[in-house]
């Protein structure tokens, strides 16, 4: 082993020792996931609306343990899906369930009567009483069309 290798080892050990005495970084977690919105037709004022293939419900969550600091869900459409008239009478709900899949809290969104190609909703921060999962659902014309969930674990 030469002088150069010894110097590298000593430098690496010194850096490791310096990092070991720093306070631990605050733990944060986050997740993002998307689920396709299946093609469907629905009626609005006697007109048939069609949502084609190409739309995705995306759910973003950030926090630490059972403390959710940020949550958002929305639908984005691409390809043929971007050509549709949008989602009319839409609502996005957030639900929270325990590890036995029993829903104990629902944050029901406002129903929006306007048609929108990219519906989106933020939810208020949440302090969950137990581990389980957090889900987001898009409802159109009173019918649940897609959902996306994240597991909240230790």
């Amino acid at each position: 082993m030469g002088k150069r290798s010894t110097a590298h080892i000593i430098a690496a050990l010194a850096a490791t020792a310096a990092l070991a005495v720093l306070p631990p970084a605050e733990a944060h977690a986050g997740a993002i996931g998307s689920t396709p919105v299946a093609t469907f037709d629905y009626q609005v004022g006697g007109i048939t609306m069609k949502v084609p293939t190409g739309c995705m419900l995306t759910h973003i969550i950030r926090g630490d343990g059972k403390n959710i600091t940020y949550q958002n869900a929305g639908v984005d459409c691409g390809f043929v899906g971007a050509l549709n008239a949008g989602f009319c009478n839409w609502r996005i709900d957030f639900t929270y369930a325990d590890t036995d899949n029993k829903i104990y809290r629902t944050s029901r969104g406002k129903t929006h009567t306007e048609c929108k190609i990219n519906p989106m909703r933020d939810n208020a921060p949440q302090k969950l009483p137990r581990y389980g999962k957090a889900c987001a659902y898009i409802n159109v014309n009173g019918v649940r069309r897609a959902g996306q969930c994240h597991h909240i674990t230790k």
Side-chain angles (χ1 to χ4, degrees):
M1 192 182 316
K3 287 183 182 180
R4 184 169 247 162
S5 295
T6 304
H8 285 141
I9 292 171
I10 291 171
L13 289 173
T16 303
L19 291 174
V21 297
L22 291 175
E26 190 175 329
H28 293 282
I32 183 169
S34 295
T35 301
V37 177
T39 298
F40 65 95
D41 296 337
Y42 64 103
Q43 297 283 320
V44 175
I47 298 171
T48 300
M49 307 291 281
K50 182 174 187 70
V51 175
T53 302
C55 297
M56 302 287 282
L57 170 66
T58 300
H59 180 207
I60 301 168
I61 191 167
R62 289 186 204 129
D64 180 17
K66 294 181 278 186
N67 186 30
I68 297 173
T69 57
Y70 175 80
Q71 193 172 193
N72 173 281
V75 177
D76 290 308
C77 298
F79 305 108
V80 176
L83 302 176
N84 81 61
F87 298 86
C88 305
N89 300 323
W90 64 272
R91 183 182 84 231
I92 295 176
D93 297 335
F94 293 96
T95 65
Y96 307 92
D98 61 21
T99 54
D100 292 326
N101 211 27
K102 183 174 182 276
I103 295 173
Y104 60 84
R105 185 182 300 166
T106 298
S107 175
R108 184 181 168 109
K110 174 185 170 231
T111 297
H112 298 267
T113 55
E114 77 277 3
C115 299
K116 193 162 185 182
I117 188 67
N118 58 345
M120 184 184 324
R121 177 180 175 216
D122 289 327
N123 200 28
Q126 303 285 314
K127 184 76 171 165
L128 305 179
R130 46 186 102 44
Y131 291 104
K133 68 180 180 179
C135 301
Y137 297 98
I138 178 78
N139 299 278
V140 179
N141 231 17
V143 178
R144 184 180 284 178
R145 295 299 179 173
Q148 205 288 324
C149 300
H150 295 295
H151 290 277
I152 311 292
T153 60
K154 287 183 184 183

